[in-house]
PDB file of all heavy atoms in Angstrom:
ATOM      1  N   SER A  66      -0.450 -12.985  16.026  1.00  0.00           N
ATOM      2  CA  SER A  66      -0.389 -12.651  14.603  1.00  0.00           C
ATOM      3  C   SER A  66       0.309 -13.853  13.901  1.00  0.00           C
ATOM      4  O   SER A  66      -0.122 -14.182  12.807  1.00  0.00           O
ATOM      5  CB  SER A  66       0.282 -11.358  14.325  1.00  0.00           C
ATOM      6  OG  SER A  66      -0.429 -10.282  14.864  1.00  0.00           O
ATOM      7  N   ASN A  67       1.334 -14.490  14.426  1.00  0.00           N
ATOM      8  CA  ASN A  67       1.968 -15.534  13.851  1.00  0.00           C
ATOM      9  C   ASN A  67       0.977 -16.720  13.662  1.00  0.00           C
ATOM     10  O   ASN A  67       0.931 -17.387  12.562  1.00  0.00           O
ATOM     11  CB  ASN A  67       3.164 -15.940  14.782  1.00  0.00           C
ATOM     12  CG  ASN A  67       3.864 -17.203  14.208  1.00  0.00           C
ATOM     13  OD1 ASN A  67       3.569 -18.353  14.742  1.00  0.00           O
ATOM     14  ND2 ASN A  67       4.790 -17.054  13.320  1.00  0.00           N
ATOM     15  N   ALA A  68       0.190 -16.967  14.687  1.00  0.00           N
ATOM     16  CA  ALA A  68      -0.853 -18.022  14.510  1.00  0.00           C
ATOM     17  C   ALA A  68      -1.741 -17.652  13.377  1.00  0.00           C
ATOM     18  O   ALA A  68      -2.096 -18.760  12.592  1.00  0.00           O
ATOM     19  CB  ALA A  68      -1.579 -18.122  15.901  1.00  0.00           C
ATOM     20  N   ARG A  69      -2.230 -16.462  13.229  1.00  0.00           N
ATOM     21  CA  ARG A  69      -3.074 -16.143  11.970  1.00  0.00           C
ATOM     22  C   ARG A  69      -2.283 -16.365  10.727  1.00  0.00           C
ATOM     23  O   ARG A  69      -2.913 -16.921   9.727  1.00  0.00           O
ATOM     24  CB  ARG A  69      -3.533 -14.659  12.153  1.00  0.00           C
ATOM     25  CG  ARG A  69      -4.333 -14.193  10.897  1.00  0.00           C
ATOM     26  CD  ARG A  69      -5.612 -15.017  10.767  1.00  0.00           C
ATOM     27  NE  ARG A  69      -6.594 -14.877  11.856  1.00  0.00           N
ATOM     28  CZ  ARG A  69      -7.487 -13.896  11.984  1.00  0.00           C
ATOM     29  NH1 ARG A  69      -7.545 -12.885  11.093  1.00  0.00           N
ATOM     30  NH2 ARG A  69      -8.318 -13.829  12.982  1.00  0.00           N
ATOM     31  N   TYR A  70      -1.016 -15.984  10.639  1.00  0.00           N
ATOM     32  CA  TYR A  70      -0.238 -16.199   9.450  1.00  0.00           C
ATOM     33  C   TYR A  70      -0.207 -17.704   9.085  1.00  0.00           C
ATOM     34  O   TYR A  70      -0.427 -18.080   7.922  1.00  0.00           O
ATOM     35  CB  TYR A  70       1.234 -15.648   9.531  1.00  0.00           C
ATOM     36  CG  TYR A  70       1.239 -14.102   9.747  1.00  0.00           C
ATOM     37  CD1 TYR A  70       2.257 -13.549  10.375  1.00  0.00           C
ATOM     38  CD2 TYR A  70       0.135 -13.321   9.285  1.00  0.00           C
ATOM     39  CE1 TYR A  70       2.311 -12.270  10.504  1.00  0.00           C
ATOM     40  CE2 TYR A  70       0.213 -11.988   9.410  1.00  0.00           C
ATOM     41  CZ  TYR A  70       1.324 -11.352  10.112  1.00  0.00           C
ATOM     42  OH  TYR A  70       1.366 -10.045  10.216  1.00  0.00           O
ATOM     43  N   HIS A  71       0.029 -18.552  10.017  1.00  0.00           N
ATOM     44  CA  HIS A  71       0.046 -19.931   9.785  1.00  0.00           C
ATOM     45  C   HIS A  71      -1.252 -20.423   9.271  1.00  0.00           C
ATOM     46  O   HIS A  71      -1.388 -21.356   8.379  1.00  0.00           O
ATOM     47  CB  HIS A  71       0.516 -20.799  11.027  1.00  0.00           C
ATOM     48  CG  HIS A  71       2.072 -20.688  11.258  1.00  0.00           C
ATOM     49  ND1 HIS A  71       2.917 -21.468  10.468  1.00  0.00           N
ATOM     50  CD2 HIS A  71       2.739 -19.960  12.053  1.00  0.00           C
ATOM     51  CE1 HIS A  71       4.195 -21.272  10.819  1.00  0.00           C
ATOM     52  NE2 HIS A  71       4.099 -20.333  11.906  1.00  0.00           N
ATOM     53  N   GLN A  72      -2.349 -20.023   9.895  1.00  0.00           N
ATOM     54  CA  GLN A  72      -3.668 -20.372   9.332  1.00  0.00           C
ATOM     55  C   GLN A  72      -3.920 -19.959   7.993  1.00  0.00           C
ATOM     56  O   GLN A  72      -4.422 -20.722   7.160  1.00  0.00           O
ATOM     57  CB  GLN A  72      -4.760 -19.751  10.342  1.00  0.00           C
ATOM     58  CG  GLN A  72      -6.092 -20.005   9.884  1.00  0.00           C
ATOM     59  CD  GLN A  72      -6.829 -18.922   9.009  1.00  0.00           C
ATOM     60  OE1 GLN A  72      -6.573 -17.766   9.283  1.00  0.00           O
ATOM     61  NE2 GLN A  72      -7.604 -19.303   8.157  1.00  0.00           N
ATOM     62  N   LEU A  73      -3.475 -18.811   7.594  1.00  0.00           N
ATOM     63  CA  LEU A  73      -3.589 -18.314   6.169  1.00  0.00           C
ATOM     64  C   LEU A  73      -2.825 -19.075   5.205  1.00  0.00           C
ATOM     65  O   LEU A  73      -3.336 -19.459   4.119  1.00  0.00           O
ATOM     66  CB  LEU A  73      -3.315 -16.790   6.161  1.00  0.00           C
ATOM     67  CG  LEU A  73      -4.285 -15.834   6.818  1.00  0.00           C
ATOM     68  CD1 LEU A  73      -3.709 -14.449   6.858  1.00  0.00           C
ATOM     69  CD2 LEU A  73      -5.617 -15.818   6.100  1.00  0.00           C
ATOM     70  N   LEU A  74      -1.601 -19.427   5.647  1.00  0.00           N
ATOM     71  CA  LEU A  74      -0.685 -20.210   4.761  1.00  0.00           C
ATOM     72  C   LEU A  74      -1.312 -21.497   4.534  1.00  0.00           C
ATOM     73  O   LEU A  74      -1.236 -22.146   3.384  1.00  0.00           O
ATOM     74  CB  LEU A  74       0.646 -20.337   5.326  1.00  0.00           C
ATOM     75  CG  LEU A  74       1.492 -19.005   5.340  1.00  0.00           C
ATOM     76  CD1 LEU A  74       2.780 -19.127   6.163  1.00  0.00           C
ATOM     77  CD2 LEU A  74       1.918 -18.584   3.854  1.00  0.00           C
ATOM     78  N   ARG A  75      -1.884 -22.167   5.614  1.00  0.00           N
ATOM     79  CA  ARG A  75      -2.510 -23.525   5.429  1.00  0.00           C
ATOM     80  C   ARG A  75      -3.729 -23.436   4.486  1.00  0.00           C
ATOM     81  O   ARG A  75      -4.029 -24.365   3.822  1.00  0.00           O
ATOM     82  CB  ARG A  75      -2.965 -24.034   6.777  1.00  0.00           C
ATOM     83  CG  ARG A  75      -1.818 -24.514   7.636  1.00  0.00           C
ATOM     84  CD  ARG A  75      -2.347 -25.343   8.892  1.00  0.00           C
ATOM     85  NE  ARG A  75      -3.190 -24.586   9.788  1.00  0.00           N
ATOM     86  CZ  ARG A  75      -2.750 -23.775  10.741  1.00  0.00           C
ATOM     87  NH1 ARG A  75      -1.473 -23.781  11.025  1.00  0.00           N
ATOM     88  NH2 ARG A  75      -3.605 -23.121  11.533  1.00  0.00           N
ATOM     89  N   ALA A  76      -4.431 -22.247   4.527  1.00  0.00           N
ATOM     90  CA  ALA A  76      -5.579 -22.017   3.676  1.00  0.00           C
ATOM     91  C   ALA A  76      -5.209 -21.750   2.169  1.00  0.00           C
ATOM     92  O   ALA A  76      -6.108 -21.704   1.413  1.00  0.00           O
ATOM     93  CB  ALA A  76      -6.427 -20.849   4.264  1.00  0.00           C
ATOM     94  N   GLY A  77      -3.986 -21.531   1.947  1.00  0.00           N
ATOM     95  CA  GLY A  77      -3.447 -21.430   0.565  1.00  0.00           C
ATOM     96  C   GLY A  77      -3.059 -20.009   0.129  1.00  0.00           C
ATOM     97  O   GLY A  77      -2.870 -19.779  -0.976  1.00  0.00           O
ATOM     98  N   THR A  78      -2.888 -19.043   1.105  1.00  0.00           N
ATOM     99  CA  THR A  78      -2.471 -17.769   0.690  1.00  0.00           C
ATOM    100  C   THR A  78      -0.977 -17.868   0.247  1.00  0.00           C
ATOM    101  O   THR A  78      -0.237 -18.722   0.672  1.00  0.00           O
ATOM    102  CB  THR A  78      -2.496 -16.729   1.890  1.00  0.00           C
ATOM    103  OG1 THR A  78      -2.362 -15.430   1.384  1.00  0.00           O
ATOM    104  CG2 THR A  78      -1.526 -17.038   2.928  1.00  0.00           C
ATOM    105  N   MET A  79      -0.615 -17.104  -0.640  1.00  0.00           N
ATOM    106  CA  MET A  79       0.733 -17.071  -1.352  1.00  0.00           C
ATOM    107  C   MET A  79       1.676 -15.947  -0.816  1.00  0.00           C
ATOM    108  O   MET A  79       2.856 -16.040  -1.082  1.00  0.00           O
ATOM    109  CB  MET A  79       0.539 -16.994  -2.830  1.00  0.00           C
ATOM    110  CG  MET A  79      -0.305 -18.073  -3.361  1.00  0.00           C
ATOM    111  SD  MET A  79      -1.188 -17.540  -4.927  1.00  0.00           S
ATOM    112  CE  MET A  79       0.149 -17.196  -6.068  1.00  0.00           C
ATOM    113  N   GLY A  80       1.153 -15.012  -0.080  1.00  0.00           N
ATOM    114  CA  GLY A  80       2.047 -14.020   0.490  1.00  0.00           C
ATOM    115  C   GLY A  80       1.435 -13.410   1.751  1.00  0.00           C
ATOM    116  O   GLY A  80       0.069 -13.361   1.853  1.00  0.00           O
ATOM    117  N   LEU A  81       2.159 -12.986   2.637  1.00  0.00           N
ATOM    118  CA  LEU A  81       1.754 -12.351   3.816  1.00  0.00           C
ATOM    119  C   LEU A  81       1.708 -10.858   3.711  1.00  0.00           C
ATOM    120  O   LEU A  81       2.592 -10.309   2.999  1.00  0.00           O
ATOM    121  CB  LEU A  81       2.614 -12.835   5.010  1.00  0.00           C
ATOM    122  CG  LEU A  81       2.622 -14.225   5.325  1.00  0.00           C
ATOM    123  CD1 LEU A  81       3.712 -14.614   6.392  1.00  0.00           C
ATOM    124  CD2 LEU A  81       1.304 -14.860   5.646  1.00  0.00           C
ATOM    125  N   SER A  82       0.837 -10.173   4.390  1.00  0.00           N
ATOM    126  CA  SER A  82       0.795  -8.774   4.415  1.00  0.00           C
ATOM    127  C   SER A  82       0.621  -8.309   5.867  1.00  0.00           C
ATOM    128  O   SER A  82      -0.410  -8.608   6.471  1.00  0.00           O
ATOM    129  CB  SER A  82      -0.398  -8.228   3.582  1.00  0.00           C
ATOM    130  OG  SER A  82      -0.296  -6.811   3.438  1.00  0.00           O
ATOM    131  N   VAL A  83       1.554  -7.585   6.504  1.00  0.00           N
ATOM    132  CA  VAL A  83       1.586  -7.341   7.875  1.00  0.00           C
ATOM    133  C   VAL A  83       1.014  -5.997   8.180  1.00  0.00           C
ATOM    134  O   VAL A  83       1.311  -4.870   7.671  1.00  0.00           O
ATOM    135  CB  VAL A  83       3.036  -7.340   8.402  1.00  0.00           C
ATOM    136  CG1 VAL A  83       3.064  -7.220   9.979  1.00  0.00           C
ATOM    137  CG2 VAL A  83       3.727  -8.663   8.040  1.00  0.00           C
TER     138      VAL A  83
END
Side-chain angles (χ1 to χ4, degrees):
S66 294
N67 175 263
R69 175 63 63 86
Y70 295 156
H71 280 284
Q72 178 265 320
L73 288 170
L74 290 168
R75 287 193 299 272
T78 192
M79 299 151 63
L81 301 175
S82 187
V83 185

